Amino acid sequence: MEVQIAVAKVNKYATPESGDTLEVVERPNGGLSVVLADGQTSGHGAKAVSLMVVRKVIGLLADGVRDGAAARAASDALFTEKKGKVTSTLNIASVDLHSETIVLTRNNPASIHIFREGKIDELAEPSSPLGTSRDIRPLITEFAIEPGLTIIIYTDGLTHAGKRRGQPMNIGEMVKIALEDQDPTPQELADLLLAHAFRLDDERPADDISVVVLKVSPRQGDDVRRMNLRLPIQVKQ
Amino acid sequence: MEVQIAVAKVNKYATPESGDTLEVVERPNGGLSVVLADGQTSGHGAKAVSLMVVRKVIGLLADGVRDGAAARAASDALFTEKKGKVTSTLNIASVDLHSETIVLTRNNPASIHIFREGKIDELAEPSSPLGTSRDIRPLITEFAIEPGLTIIIYTDGLTHAGKRRGQPMNIGEMVKIALEDQDPTPQELADLLLAHAFRLDDERPADDISVVVLKVSPRQGDDVRRMNLRLPIQVKQ
């Protein structure tokens, strides 16, 4: 089998720094984890918060700490540092080759969409961001690693898109149509969702938006791990 | 402008764990860093060493420590822990949006190839891996971020490919032909180099091989950051 992970990420309009931070790290017992945090507000302050949360989590995962415990620890650290005044969402999606499962950890009011066996599910149980109080609990969902499983994770920039104009996006419906009609690559699906949000926000995103698509497929080729990354930059020179 | 980074990475034949670790992290003052380490020997022990080096380096970069200082610190930590008996190579390639430069840090006998203004250069000055002694110095090279700049970094699995059969690979020549004849994407170039090494090793790589290609281009599209990752996995179930 193979796992493909695609990310599409854009800043709030006219904001040079994204409050969303995403990093991918190897797990010490095999596999990898995608860690996505969205710091409260936007710009530099939000970036510092989400970067701190992601760094805390990846440091703990590197030490072999389980995902849920890493999320709780990051929440306590944020609560202690900011006295409950600053929050951050957190999603961890782990391909855990030790347990041979996909483990989803969610501290984010935004849902997660799951496509498997031809059916869309939404993980929409109420979930608190990190740093709001002591004893924050992450929601943990675990799936066997099976071909066809597709997981769509996003920050609230996606759910808020279009709200300004009273035309919020029906993310579940869009995912359903995209996956039933075509067989998009993870990157195509992430790009499609982001492009739609972009249009609903009149090409001026009202918030940072990050979309992550993780897909398990039958092995389609060689044993090579590949990563490809595109970073648009502004240089003053 | 935009920066594209592509990675192709394969394990030594019949070895489930790669001794090479590669991670990409955001820099606190803008931009990102690719950190690649190759731990001595192969398999689990080498993985633990390269993972420790990469984690040390990304932790320091996250705190705003400069790349060269992070490399020195990782070397001292490795030397202290392993008493000089275990070494690791290290390459850091940073897109530093604060200085508006690409900064290359090398503690690796393997060269780096640079393509700019239609010409190939090789950074081949002798360079020690980390952990061999106190006072290890990294070699630092800095370039302005300019369209057309292409940088090719690799672990010694690439330079050793084919040596078993007395047919080592001429990496510089291959890069030159590929870049002069066609205009390969970074992923195509990384894949081409890896595939050639694979053939020279009779499809059974004698060592872990990692190839990183970083390319600066004129802006070709939107403001979206994208990342795409493929992880081939073996599941016992």
Side-chain angles (χ1 to χ4, degrees):
Chain A
M1 284 189 274
E2 63 181 59
V3 176
Q4 290 175 69
I5 296 168
V7 178
K9 197 165 175 291
V10 78
N11 296 3
K12 178 178 172 174
Y13 180 68
T15 308
E17 257 181 315
S18 171
D20 293 356
T21 297
L22 180 139
E23 291 193 358
V24 179
V25 289
E26 286 197 49
R27 295 175 71 81
N29 298 311
L32 51 79
S33 295
V34 183
V35 182
L36 172 64
D38 176 5
Q40 200 174 358
T41 74
S42 60
H44 192 71
K47 182 75 203 174
V49 168
S50 62
L51 207 49
M52 178 228 158
V53 166
V54 168
R55 289 296 150 83
K56 185 81 192 167
V57 170
I58 66 179
L60 291 166
L61 296 180
D63 289 338
V65 170
R66 276 168 303 165
D67 299 25
R72 284 166 194 250
S75 184
D76 289 347
L78 182 61
F79 183 82
T80 304
E81 189 168 318
K82 303 290 185 185
K83 302 188 174 60
K85 286 182 190 135
V86 178
T87 67
S88 173
T89 70
L90 173 70
N91 287 94
I92 312 175
S94 295
V95 181
D96 185 337
L97 295 182
H98 186 68
S99 61
E100 303 196 334
T101 55
I102 308 277
V103 183
L104 303 180
T105 301
R106 178 163 76 99
N107 277 107
N108 190 348
S111 307
I112 296 177
H113 292 274
I114 315 285
F115 184 78
R116 55 176 185 157
E117 294 161 6
K119 210 170 125 272
I120 293 266
D121 279 325
E122 184 172 355
L123 302 180
E125 205 185 320
S127 169
S128 297
L130 306 184
T132 45
S133 68
R134 293 240 166 246
D135 297 319
I136 285 296
R137 279 188 343 114
L139 297 176
I140 312 275
T141 314
E142 202 164 354
F143 297 98
I145 301 178
E146 286 171 344
L149 177 65
T150 303
I151 293 161
I152 300 109
I153 295 169
Y154 43 85
T155 56
D156 65 357
L158 196 68
T159 47
H160 290 160
K163 282 196 180 157
R164 215 167 29 186
R165 298 199 314 187
Q167 291 195 325
M169 187 163 164
N170 187 334
I171 301 168
E173 193 57 30
M174 266 205 85
V175 168
K176 190 161 182 274
I177 292 169
L179 287 172
E180 284 177 355
D181 284 9
Q182 313 129 31
D183 183 22
T185 64
Q187 191 70 64
E188 284 165 355
L189 181 54
D191 283 353
L192 183 87
L193 291 169
L194 190 67
H196 192 69
F198 216 71
R199 278 194 302 275
L200 290 178
D201 273 343
D202 298 320
E203 324 274 302
R204 299 178 169 199
D207 193 1
D208 308 312
I209 308 176
S210 303
V211 183
V212 179
V213 178
L214 184 154
K215 184 179 181 182
V216 183
S217 313
R219 180 75 71 93
Q220 278 156 357
D222 55 25
D223 290 326
V224 180
R225 275 187 188 210
R226 291 192 176 81
M227 188 177 65
N228 209 303
L229 192 150
R230 171 183 188 264
L231 175 73
I233 55 174
Q234 299 282 359
V235 171
K236 285 168 230 93
Q237 292 157 357
Chain B
M1 284 188 277
E2 62 181 57
V3 176
Q4 288 176 71
I5 296 170
V7 178
K9 197 163 172 294
V10 77
N11 294 3
K12 177 177 171 174
Y13 179 67
T15 308
E17 257 182 317
S18 172
D20 293 357
T21 297
L22 179 139
E23 290 190 0
V24 179
V25 288
E26 286 196 49
R27 296 175 70 81
N29 298 312
L32 50 80
S33 294
V34 183
V35 182
L36 172 63
D38 176 4
Q40 201 174 356
T41 75
S42 59
H44 192 71
K47 182 72 203 176
V49 169
S50 62
L51 207 49
M52 177 226 158
V53 165
V54 168
R55 289 296 150 84
K56 186 84 194 163
V57 170
I58 66 180
L60 291 165
L61 295 180
D63 290 337
V65 172
R66 277 168 303 165
D67 299 25
R72 285 167 194 249
S75 184
D76 289 348
L78 182 61
F79 184 82
T80 302
E81 189 168 319
K82 302 289 185 186
K83 303 188 171 61
K85 285 181 189 137
V86 178
T87 66
S88 173
T89 70
L90 173 69
N91 288 93
I92 312 173
S94 295
V95 180
D96 185 338
L97 295 182
H98 185 69
S99 60
E100 302 196 333
T101 56
I102 307 277
V103 183
L104 303 180
T105 302
R106 178 164 77 99
N107 277 105
N108 190 349
S111 306
I112 295 176
H113 293 273
I114 314 286
F115 183 79
R116 52 175 189 160
E117 293 160 9
K119 211 170 125 271
I120 292 267
D121 279 325
E122 185 173 354
L123 303 180
E125 206 186 318
S127 167
S128 297
L130 306 184
T132 46
S133 68
R134 292 240 167 247
D135 298 320
I136 285 295
R137 281 190 339 114
L139 297 175
I140 312 273
T141 314
E142 203 165 354
F143 297 97
I145 300 178
E146 284 171 345
L149 176 65
T150 302
I151 292 161
I152 300 108
I153 295 171
Y154 43 85
T155 55
D156 65 357
L158 196 69
T159 48
H160 290 160
K163 280 196 180 156
R164 214 166 34 184
R165 300 199 314 188
Q167 291 194 327
M169 187 164 166
N170 187 332
I171 301 167
E173 192 60 27
M174 266 204 84
V175 170
K176 190 161 182 274
I177 292 170
L179 288 171
E180 284 178 354
D181 283 9
Q182 311 128 31
D183 184 21
T185 65
Q187 191 70 64
E188 285 166 352
L189 182 53
D191 283 352
L192 183 88
L193 291 169
L194 190 67
H196 193 68
F198 217 71
R199 279 194 300 275
L200 290 177
D201 272 343
D202 299 318
E203 324 273 304
R204 296 179 170 199
D207 193 1
D208 307 311
I209 309 176
S210 304
V211 183
V212 180
V213 177
L214 185 155
K215 184 179 182 182
V216 183
S217 313
R219 180 74 70 95
Q220 278 156 356
D222 54 25
D223 289 327
V224 180
R225 279 190 184 205
R226 290 191 177 81
M227 188 176 66
N228 208 303
L229 192 149
R230 172 184 186 265
L231 174 73
I233 55 172
Q234 298 284 358
V235 171
K236 284 168 233 93
Q237 293 155 353

